[in-house]
Amino acid sequence: MAKITFITRNGEKITVEGNDGSLMELAKQNNIKGIDGDCGGVCSCATCHVHVDPAYFEKTGTASEIENDMLELDDNVGEYSRLSCQIPVSDALDGLVLQVAN
Amino acid sequence: MSENPNNKVCVIIGASHAGVNLAFALRSEGWAGDIVLIDADAALPYHRPPLSKAYLASDDGIEQNLLKSADSYEKEGITLRLGVLVKSIDRADKCVHLNDDSVQVYDKLVLATGASPIVPPIPGIDGASNLYPLRTAEDVTNIRKALNTSQSKRVIVIGGGYIGLETAASLKKLGATVTVLEREERVLSRVTAPEISQFFTNLHKQYGVEIFTDKNVVSIETKNGLNVIKCSDNSRFNADIIVVGVGIRVNTALAVAAGLEVENGIKVNATARTSDEDIYAIGDCTFHHNPHYNRFIRLESVQNAVDQAKVAAAAIAGKETTYNTIPWFWSDQYDVKLQMVGLSEGYNRILVRKEASEDTKFSVWYFKDDELLAVDAVNNAKAYVIGTKFIKEGKKVDASKLVDPSTPFKPANLLAE
Ligand SMILES: Cc1cc2nc3c(=O)[nH]c(=O)nc-3n(C[C@H](O)[C@H](O)[C@H](O)COP(=O)(O)OP(=O)(O)OC[C@H]3O[C@@H](n4cnc5c(N)ncnc54)[C@H](O)[C@@H]3O)c2cc1C
Ligand code: FES
């Protein structure tokens, strides 16, 4: 079980718990605003963009080439940007803090 | 027209990509009234694209595939009425009649009725065994059930469009013997250049899926659960399961009966409003104007459903935003990702960009004279992203630099002087 905190664009802080699936799916299950996941999690829409707390960035693994390219579609891309559908939820992510990008 | 004059009612017909996104966007836009979301499909609203892709090929239940979590509707005060069909719209009394004999009044009505798969009038098709279209979660359940109980697992897919090809790839993954019959001289002929068609034909061959083109199915004969499909060139194909993917028909019947303006879909203006000022239409069912390409079009895509939903939500909530997006689309087959941006129709020139030493990674760029219209990118999100930016900004491309694999793939390197 990992505790994960999403901070939405209007500053709302929501901590949720997850075991499996992707961070995008976890966000959707918990109605986190700003994570739309329009493509259903196949790295095609970039509507699940988050900024990862730098302290945790390594734990989320490395982005694939497609993911990095897709992030370029969003003007709000930064050094710690990820598409949350590409990050599997695991115990290793316990304590993770994410800023929703949009 | 609601009982409480301060509490307006927005009724949405169709709870799929368009309708669901509209309902939630309407709340975010500050609509305080009721929102009633109606769909004939009894399942909680789900993503459609995976139906022919990961969802078909996996064991996931539809719960893994929902558009919004089950409790989010209640949280946002959205009333879901699933498993009921809207029979008619009464514009004079501002209400809709449902097939459970109830009547639902509205102040604003949204048609998000989408499209239905075409089942072509082929002699014998009604008596065919295990013949399914692929549009709903129930279709997927039926196809999987048929496959599980079939001994020989011989599947014929009629139609080599995206849905047909994706279905073929997914069923192959499940261990079926799959053959695709395409009426035109190449697959995906309606939507892409020959280069892309050729690539996918080869890809399917590699995975052991047979594709036959110029195959016009003229009859189906069925005996003891075995279907024999006959084509106009007298060739015959046996199948115990048939999947029909020959396109869709827009669900316009309600709109037509209500006297709304309908052409190649329900006609809407830039705010997604129909010819009735209290009725909007969004998603696959609309015939709408695309400002970038300056023509009326109909699209079958998640992008269009979602973007029109946002525009209509804003308009209904009394804000004015207009629809102005570049269409985009994707298709996943085996481990290949195809991403498309723009509208290629009307192109008179294409350029193919290959990447050095990677033969499963390329992109096709469609131009009308020197105007970039569209890009199809195979395993190449970079091309898709650069294409998107160039089309949006109307940038001119240097053809020789683009097609030269030694030009590093960066926007600045590809622009015409
Ligand atoms: C197998 C498949 C794969 C696809 N793959 C992709 C893809 O990769 N990328 C992409 O962008 N798009 C894809 N699409 C297209 C995409 O799913 C559609 O563009 C999208 O679903 C359109 O959404 P919509 O809400 O406008 O219409 P629909 O999804 O068609 O929904 C309309 C809804 O209205 C309901 N309805 C209609 N009439 C009535 C009535 N009278 N009363 C009550 N309910 C009614 C229907 O039951 C239906 O649920 C795919 C589609 C399919 C079928
Ligand atoms: S959900 Fe579409 S890219 Fe993540």
Side-chain angles (χ1 to χ4, degrees):
Chain A
M1 188 67 84
K3 273 203 167 76
I4 292 174
T5 302
F6 292 91
I7 305 173
T8 63
R9 278 300 283 264
N10 57 15
E12 212 184 336
K13 245 186 189 171
I14 304 149
T15 302
V16 300
E17 290 185 347
N19 281 318
D20 50 14
S22 70
L23 286 177
M24 181 277 284
E25 287 166 325
L26 185 67
K28 295 279 294 180
Q29 280 151 21
N30 292 284
N31 311 316
I32 307 291
K33 294 260 154 65
I35 306 274
D36 293 340
D38 288 339
C39 76
V42 296
C43 211
S44 296
C45 69
T47 64
C48 62
H49 179 187
V50 292
H51 296 283
V52 179
D53 182 337
Y56 282 87
F57 193 62
E58 253 171 47
K59 286 197 183 152
T60 61
T62 35
S64 68
E65 192 185 339
I66 287 200
E67 184 186 335
N68 276 327
D69 288 338
M70 285 302 288
L71 279 165
E72 295 293 324
L73 270 186
D74 199 324
D75 294 335
N76 189 18
V77 65
E79 200 180 337
Y80 301 104
S81 283
R82 290 291 311 265
L83 292 176
S84 59
C85 68
Q86 301 300 303
I87 306 173
V89 176
S90 72
D91 289 349
L93 297 186
D94 191 37
L96 177 67
V97 180
L98 304 159
Q99 297 263 359
V100 179
N102 290 299
Chain B
M1 300 291 287
S2 61
E3 285 155 28
N4 172 357
N6 297 318
N7 192 14
K8 299 209 163 178
V9 185
C10 178
V11 172
I12 306 162
I13 309 174
S16 180
H17 289 271
V20 168
N21 276 289
L22 180 121
F24 284 80
L26 194 54
R27 255 324 157 231
S28 315
E29 293 286 0
W31 175 267
D34 291 351
I35 301 176
V36 182
L37 188 50
I38 305 172
D39 203 297
D41 193 332
L44 268 178
Y46 48 83
H47 285 275
R48 261 184 230 288
L51 296 183
S52 50
K53 308 180 184 79
Y55 182 69
L56 177 58
S58 76
D59 279 326
D60 285 353
I62 201 70
E63 321 71 59
Q64 301 296 315
N65 205 21
L66 299 180
L67 281 173
K68 300 280 177 185
S69 67
D71 62 353
S72 57
Y73 296 92
E74 209 183 306
K75 279 191 188 146
E76 296 291 312
I78 295 162
T79 307
L80 265 181
R81 297 201 57 190
L82 301 175
V84 280
L85 183 86
V86 175
K87 288 193 306 187
S88 63
I89 302 167
D90 181 339
R91 285 167 63 190
D93 285 344
K94 292 182 89 172
C95 63
V96 297
H97 292 264
L98 309 175
N99 71 342
D100 62 0
D101 291 332
S102 64
V103 176
Q104 171 67 55
V105 294
Y106 68 81
D107 295 283
K108 299 286 178 190
L109 178 66
V110 182
L111 300 174
T113 49
S116 302
I118 293 175
V119 177
I122 298 167
I125 201 163
D126 292 337
S129 163
N130 289 324
L131 178 138
Y132 305 103
L134 209 174
R135 182 87 191 172
T136 65
E138 193 187 356
D139 293 332
V140 174
T141 305
N142 288 334
I143 292 168
R144 290 176 61 93
K145 213 183 273 167
L147 194 69
N148 285 337
T149 53
S150 153
Q151 290 282 317
S152 66
K153 302 197 191 303
R154 265 177 313 182
V155 182
I156 296 279
V157 176
I158 303 179
Y162 290 121
I163 292 179
L165 293 182
E166 288 172 356
T167 302
S170 301
L171 292 177
K172 185 70 197 176
K173 226 180 249 176
L174 292 176
T177 302
V178 188
T179 303
V180 178
L181 303 179
E182 165 59 47
R183 189 180 58 185
E184 304 301 322
E185 57 173 13
R186 60 185 175 93
V187 295
L188 301 172
S189 62
R190 265 193 322 132
V191 281
T192 64
E195 283 77 0
I196 300 280
S197 304
Q198 191 59 52
F199 174 83
F200 280 101
T201 301
N202 294 345
L203 181 73
H204 280 272
K205 200 185 228 168
Q206 268 171 37
Y207 280 88
V209 167
E210 281 192 293
I211 295 180
F212 292 97
T213 54
D214 291 313
K215 292 294 178 193
N216 186 19
V217 175
V218 291
S219 72
I220 302 174
E221 278 169 34
T222 306
K223 267 192 208 126
N224 305 324
L226 176 72
N227 304 300
V228 180
I229 296 172
K230 210 176 118 192
C231 299
S232 56
D233 60 0
N234 278 324
S235 55
R236 284 158 197 270
F237 298 87
N238 295 342
D240 29 17
I241 300 164
I242 302 173
V243 180
V244 184
V246 297
I248 53 106
R249 197 165 282 132
V250 193
N251 293 327
T252 54
L254 285 176
V256 171
L260 298 175
E261 198 178 335
V262 174
E263 277 180 46
N264 179 19
I266 304 168
K267 195 151 181 201
V268 293
N269 71 7
T271 65
R273 214 186 63 205
T274 67
S275 51
D276 179 322
E277 66 175 57
D278 292 318
I279 305 181
Y280 291 74
I282 55 176
D284 278 16
C285 67
T286 65
F287 189 53
H288 62 273
H289 186 257
N290 186 293
H292 186 87
Y293 295 91
N294 193 21
R295 64 171 185 268
F296 273 86
I297 56 172
R298 191 172 61 69
L299 290 172
E300 296 154 33
S301 77
V302 167
Q303 168 273 319
N304 179 56
V306 172
D307 288 336
Q308 282 191 320
K310 289 178 185 159
V311 167
I316 293 168
K319 302 172 188 170
E320 233 15 35
T321 44
T322 56
Y323 185 79
N324 187 5
T325 51
I326 310 287
W328 56 266
F329 190 80
W330 75 94
S331 173
D332 295 326
Q333 294 164 49
Y334 308 105
D335 51 0
V336 170
K337 181 172 229 40
L338 171 64
Q339 294 175 279
M340 289 147 281
V341 59
L343 297 175
S344 60
E345 202 188 309
Y347 73 90
N348 55 16
R349 190 163 73 105
I350 61 170
L351 295 173
V352 179
R353 157 98 189 185
K354 300 197 163 98
E355 302 309 320
S357 75
E358 285 181 274
D359 54 357
T360 57
K361 193 169 168 182
F362 69 103
S363 49
V364 176
W365 298 61
Y366 300 79
F367 297 85
K368 180 160 195 245
D369 305 323
D370 65 348
E371 183 198 353
L372 178 62
L373 293 179
V375 177
D376 290 354
V378 174
N379 288 329
N380 197 337
K382 200 168 253 119
Y384 171 78
V385 170
I386 295 174
T388 303
K389 292 187 171 164
F390 282 6
I391 295 170
K392 266 191 192 146
E393 293 162 12
K395 290 275 196 306
K396 298 279 180 271
V397 178
D398 183 316
S400 58
K401 288 182 190 158
L402 176 65
V403 299
D404 178 359
S406 70
T407 314
F409 215 3
K410 293 213 176 88
N413 298 340
L414 307 170
L415 293 174
E417 298 293 313

